[in-house]
């Protein structure tokens, strides 16, 4: 015990110096870890941004595809409606002609 009390100041000084040296090395190590974490986060952020852009582009491509399909579908429906319209116009003209002939025939007999 006497040894400790005699050299207490030297022991405490040595411990403090050792702690300071360890702190300095640990600080550099932590700074490197921090730099690595920052670099990794930036890399992940870049990957996420790219992923968002890819998803957006995919959505736009899908939207264009769906609108093109819908446009083609509406185009074919319009063509069908025009064909039906021409058919009904023909039927109307035929019936009108028959009616006009019928009316002429019956009105002149009175």
């Amino acid at each position: 015990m006497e040894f400790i009390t005699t050299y207490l100041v030297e022991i405490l000084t040595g411990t403090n110096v050792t702690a300071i040296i360890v702190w300095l090395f640990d600080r550099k190590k932590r700074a490197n870890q921090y730099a690595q974490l920052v670099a990794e986060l930036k890399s992940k952020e870049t990957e996420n941004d790219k992923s968002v852009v890819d998803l957006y582009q995919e959505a736009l491509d899908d939207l264009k595809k769906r609108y093109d399909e819908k446009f083609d579908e509406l185009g074919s429906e319009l063509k069908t409606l025009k064909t039906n319209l021409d058919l009904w116009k023909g039927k109307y003209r035929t019936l009108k002609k028959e009616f006009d002939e019928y009316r002429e025939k019956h009105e002149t007999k009175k």
Side-chain angles (χ1 to χ4, degrees):
M1 188 73 165
E2 190 175 312
F3 174 76
I4 294 176
T5 55
T6 307
Y7 296 106
L8 184 62
V9 172
E10 286 83 7
I11 291 172
L12 290 175
T13 305
T15 305
N16 287 340
V17 169
T18 305
I20 291 172
I21 291 172
V22 168
W23 177 77
L24 287 173
F25 283 115
D26 190 50
R27 188 183 72 158
K28 286 183 181 180
K29 179 182 168 187
R30 287 182 190 261
N32 288 339
Q33 288 175 341
Y34 177 76
Q36 287 175 344
L37 283 174
V38 168
E40 185 178 333
L41 286 174
K42 285 184 179 180
S43 172
K44 293 289 184 184
E45 185 179 1
T46 302
E47 288 176 22
N48 287 342
D49 289 347
K50 185 177 184 278
S51 176
V52 167
V53 168
D54 289 344
L55 287 173
Y56 183 70
Q57 186 62 45
E58 184 179 320
L60 287 177
D61 291 343
D62 184 50
L63 186 64
K64 181 184 180 316
K65 179 182 173 188
R66 281 193 276 156
Y67 277 118
D68 287 345
E69 289 173 1
K70 191 66 172 176
F71 183 77
D72 291 342
E73 180 182 319
L74 290 174
S76 64
E77 187 176 337
L78 181 63
K79 186 177 179 182
T80 303
L81 290 173
K82 284 182 179 181
T83 303
N84 285 340
L85 178 64
D86 291 339
L87 177 70
W88 285 107
K89 281 181 181 179
K91 287 181 179 182
Y92 171 79
R93 287 184 189 120
T94 303
L95 288 172
K96 174 105 169 91
K97 182 179 175 185
E98 288 175 8
F99 177 73
D100 289 341
E101 288 173 359
Y102 175 82
R103 190 167 60 181
E104 265 184 41
K105 186 177 178 182
H106 285 72
E107 283 181 0
T108 56
K109 287 187 178 181
K110 288 186 178 182

